[in-house]
Amino acid sequence: MIRERILVIGASGQIGVELTLALRKIYGNNNVVASDLREENDLLKGTGPYVSLDVMNKEMLHVQVIRQNITQIYLLAAILSATGEKNPNLAWHLNMQGLLNVLDIAREEKIYKVYWPSSIAVFGPTSPKQNCPQQTIIEPTTVYGISKYAGEFWCNYYFQRFHVDVRSLRYPGLISYKSAPGGGTTDYAVEIYHEALEEKKYECFLREDTYLPMMYMPDAIKATIELMEAPAAQISVRTSYNISAMSFSPKEIAAAIKNYIPEFDISYEPDYRQTIADSWPQSIDDSVARKDWGWAHEYDLQRMTKDMLENLRNK
């Protein structure tokens, strides 16, 4: 029985905080090492070990992997879609080199498993808009999408050539009350809940009829851990799995909020993020994930809205 020691890179980000806490519940606080360039997130303080780490510094990363006896790496550090368009060179460099550093160390040190998230941003305007399948035309138009698609092939390459057990999910827009979003095109779906409670109104940067695939963070964490705990023989996709829970528009999420805050008012002022959103599918076919390792989501728009508002009110 291997004693797992897990390194989470990017632990202070939107996914990292909640994934680190969930992994600590399963594997024990001291066996999950959180790391980030930023200061330790308040929610992580006192829950387990934390190291300041730059994924771009391969030597420093390598030293930590050996020193901490790491057996699994979760690489979550990335520059997201909207932020990436403001600095394309940096987004490409960080998103690619960070992954290659981790894959190379995983190969050298025979790391047991690696997790690296991809995104629906890999899809482009030529991909099917409805029920976008696992294998389809993929021609991304953002630097984030380009870097994620290239990364998927590197993951597959390291698995095929070096037998590194690297696994991945194409996350949709992720919604959470615990940690702030990180500069993506779907961030409106987090902001809208905060503004509904605080201001009773929200100006949305997407059109009211912009449908996008979304997921509540508890489902994203569940999917990630279930994928990583599935037997290797069940993993048929070594690029990245389509994963989905719900699709909705700003108009629909506003209507769901109005069930709880009747006076809530939404207005629309689309900006550069509208072009990014228009290039992505409106819904995702994740039947391969459901078949291979039994993926099943728990939250729809109504259940998520109730939970989000309850938890934000209690913060």
Side-chain angles (χ1 to χ4, degrees):
M1 178 72 184
I2 187 164
R3 181 168 169 265
E4 298 293 0
R5 290 276 297 171
I6 298 171
L7 176 65
V8 181
I9 303 169
S12 285
Q14 187 193 13
I15 304 165
V17 171
E18 301 196 42
L19 187 57
T20 300
L21 293 171
L23 289 168
R24 283 178 172 165
K25 269 189 184 151
I26 297 167
Y27 292 101
N29 289 351
N30 290 330
N31 295 321
V32 180
V33 180
S35 73
D36 207 300
L37 254 185
R38 291 172 284 186
E39 279 190 24
E40 185 176 16
N41 187 290
D42 287 344
L43 292 168
L44 293 179
K45 284 180 177 164
T47 68
Y50 182 87
V51 293
S52 180
L53 189 64
D54 181 359
V55 73
M56 303 301 279
N57 186 332
K58 191 179 177 186
E59 286 70 32
M60 192 167 89
L61 177 59
H62 204 153
V63 165
Q64 282 294 344
V65 166
I66 294 167
R67 184 180 289 160
Q68 305 277 358
N69 295 315
I70 297 301
T71 61
Q72 293 189 37
I73 300 174
Y74 287 70
L75 171 58
L76 306 171
I79 292 175
L80 303 188
S81 58
T83 311
E85 291 309 290
K86 293 175 183 169
N87 197 334
N89 284 358
L90 178 66
W92 169 260
H93 185 54
L94 176 81
N95 293 351
M96 288 285 51
Q97 199 56 52
L99 173 61
L100 289 171
N101 287 350
V102 166
L103 289 174
D104 230 25
I105 292 166
R107 174 180 63 87
E108 283 181 48
E109 299 301 330
K110 304 207 168 13
I111 296 294
Y112 181 50
K113 277 185 227 173
V114 175
Y115 178 76
W116 175 80
S118 186
S119 162
I120 59 164
V122 298
F123 299 115
T126 51
S127 304
K129 284 285 175 215
Q130 305 296 337
N131 295 318
C132 190
Q134 178 68 47
Q135 291 178 305
T136 187
I137 296 167
I138 297 190
E139 297 177 330
T141 53
T142 63
V143 68
Y144 179 63
I146 295 165
S147 70
K148 285 297 183 186
Y149 199 37
E152 288 186 11
F153 286 114
W154 278 115
C155 290
N156 189 53
Y157 180 82
Y158 268 76
F159 173 72
Q160 303 293 348
R161 181 152 183 211
F162 303 119
H163 312 295
V164 175
D165 186 355
V166 53
R167 306 178 183 195
S168 179
L169 298 172
R170 289 172 180 156
Y171 287 131
L174 297 180
I175 299 163
S176 161
Y177 62 86
K178 284 187 185 170
S179 42
T185 303
T186 54
D187 287 2
Y188 89 86
V190 181
E191 292 167 2
I192 194 169
Y193 288 108
H194 288 268
E195 294 295 310
L197 284 169
E198 289 162 24
E199 307 294 335
K200 305 291 185 277
K201 65 180 193 295
Y202 179 64
E203 185 180 279
C204 184
F205 56 73
L206 298 179
R207 280 194 324 271
E208 67 173 8
D209 60 348
T210 308
Y211 280 85
L212 286 170
M214 300 280 190
M215 184 177 283
Y216 197 30
M217 191 62 82
D219 274 339
I221 301 303
K222 174 169 123 64
T224 305
I225 290 169
E226 285 176 1
L227 169 73
M228 289 298 278
E229 296 201 332
Q234 285 174 233
I235 310 298
S236 72
V237 175
R238 288 294 179 169
T239 47
S240 188
Y241 276 99
N242 277 9
I243 195 96
S244 183
M246 56 185 126
S247 288
F248 55 75
S249 66
K251 189 177 179 181
E252 287 181 352
I253 192 173
I257 289 169
K258 279 185 178 181
N259 289 332
Y260 299 92
I261 306 169
E263 66 274 31
F264 175 64
D265 187 51
I266 186 167
S267 57
Y268 302 94
E269 200 61 54
D271 64 14
Y272 70 99
R273 288 168 283 196
Q274 185 65 53
T275 311
I276 300 175
D278 288 342
S279 75
W280 292 347
Q282 296 179 348
S283 58
I284 299 289
D285 175 353
D286 61 357
S287 53
V288 180
R290 291 174 188 267
K291 176 175 71 62
D292 280 5
W293 42 276
W295 160 244
H297 69 280
E298 290 180 2
Y299 286 86
D300 61 9
L301 176 57
Q302 303 307 327
R303 188 177 171 200
M304 175 182 75
T305 297
K306 183 173 185 286
D307 198 66
M308 274 292 283
L309 292 172
E310 279 176 5
N311 280 287
L312 286 174
R313 276 197 178 109
N314 294 333
K315 273 184 102 168

